[in-house]
Amino acid sequence: LYQSKKWPDMFPQFETNKTRTRENRSSAPMTDDNQVALESIGFNWEATEIKEMDSMWFSHLNELKEYHRIKGTFKLDSKKPETSFLAYWIAYQRKQYRCKQRNEPTTLTDEREKALDAIGIHWEKINTWDIQFEKLFDHHREHGHCNVPKSCPDKTFLNWIAHQRQNHCDKTA
């Protein structure tokens, strides 16, 4: 049908009036003829794109839940192909949260915010440096030194300490 006729030929009563402005066309009320024309080409009156987008959003949420179940963290590396999309997706959700806090337009509905809250997402970026420093401070207070043994079960903490030493060496070189 689409290939055999162009829409003005199928519905001559809707031929565009070249003198009307875009604003006038978009604000014109829905007539019965308009409704018939739209329905004749299969126009869906429900906003399926919104439903599809919502469905995609919850699909990403489920991916995030699964990642957290397996890895035990919401920290994703945006440089790794297998986690980059979810890393950017979380960053976008946090950005939308900040927009919501400032009463700016946002895609983060109350339902989505509650769903993210329910899985324990942190809305603000966690300053991992401060957290690791606090651990080191506690270790120093307890043991009187900053030499954490390699047998420490917190490998993230050990990596952070090694990184600090490397940064210091780089700075003094």
Side-chain angles (χ1 to χ4, degrees):
L1 181 67
Y2 173 75
Q3 294 173 344
S4 63
K5 284 189 165 187
K6 295 188 178 191
W7 76 268
D9 298 330
M10 293 169 47
F11 304 102
Q13 70 271 29
F14 302 116
E15 191 146 357
T16 45
N17 180 348
K18 307 254 190 279
T19 61
R20 291 194 308 171
T21 65
R22 179 180 284 267
E23 292 80 26
N24 289 340
R25 282 196 312 266
S26 66
S27 63
M30 175 65 65
T31 65
D32 290 341
D33 287 341
N34 294 93
Q35 182 176 341
V36 168
L38 289 167
E39 288 173 350
S40 73
I41 61 170
F43 186 80
N44 187 346
W45 294 105
E46 292 184 28
T48 54
E49 311 85 43
I50 293 171
K51 288 181 181 178
E52 288 171 11
M53 287 174 56
D54 218 33
S55 176
M56 284 175 41
W57 190 93
F58 280 98
S59 174
H60 300 321
L61 177 69
N62 288 332
E63 288 178 51
L64 183 61
K65 284 180 188 177
E66 182 65 12
Y67 180 86
H68 185 265
R69 185 185 68 75
I70 293 168
K71 301 286 186 177
T73 183
F74 291 115
K75 187 174 181 180
L76 296 124
D77 189 345
S78 61
K79 292 177 178 69
K80 289 185 178 177
E82 63 273 13
T83 57
S84 64
F85 177 80
L86 276 180
Y88 288 114
W89 186 80
I90 289 175
Y92 182 76
Q93 301 313 310
R94 287 184 175 125
K95 179 182 177 189
Q96 293 301 306
Y97 178 80
R98 289 189 301 275
C99 288
K100 192 173 184 180
Q101 297 304 303
R102 294 187 302 260
N103 293 320
E104 295 173 359
T106 178
T107 60
L108 186 67
T109 62
D110 290 341
E111 179 186 19
R112 290 176 175 185
E113 183 181 351
K114 287 176 186 170
L116 288 164
D117 283 339
I119 65 169
I121 197 78
H122 296 283
W123 290 110
E124 301 302 322
K125 282 188 176 178
I126 298 170
N127 188 336
T128 54
W129 195 94
D130 289 344
I131 292 169
Q132 301 304 330
F133 179 78
E134 199 171 307
K135 289 179 187 178
L136 187 58
F137 184 83
D138 291 344
H139 179 86
H140 183 272
R141 185 176 40 215
E142 186 177 331
H143 301 285
H145 60 79
C146 293
N147 298 323
V148 179
K150 292 195 186 298
S151 61
C152 174
D154 188 345
K155 299 306 177 202
T156 303
F157 182 43
L158 290 174
N159 288 338
W160 179 84
I161 292 169
H163 190 71
Q164 301 315 304
R165 288 187 175 120
Q166 183 62 49
N167 285 346
H168 179 71
C169 288
D170 293 347
K171 185 178 174 186
T172 58

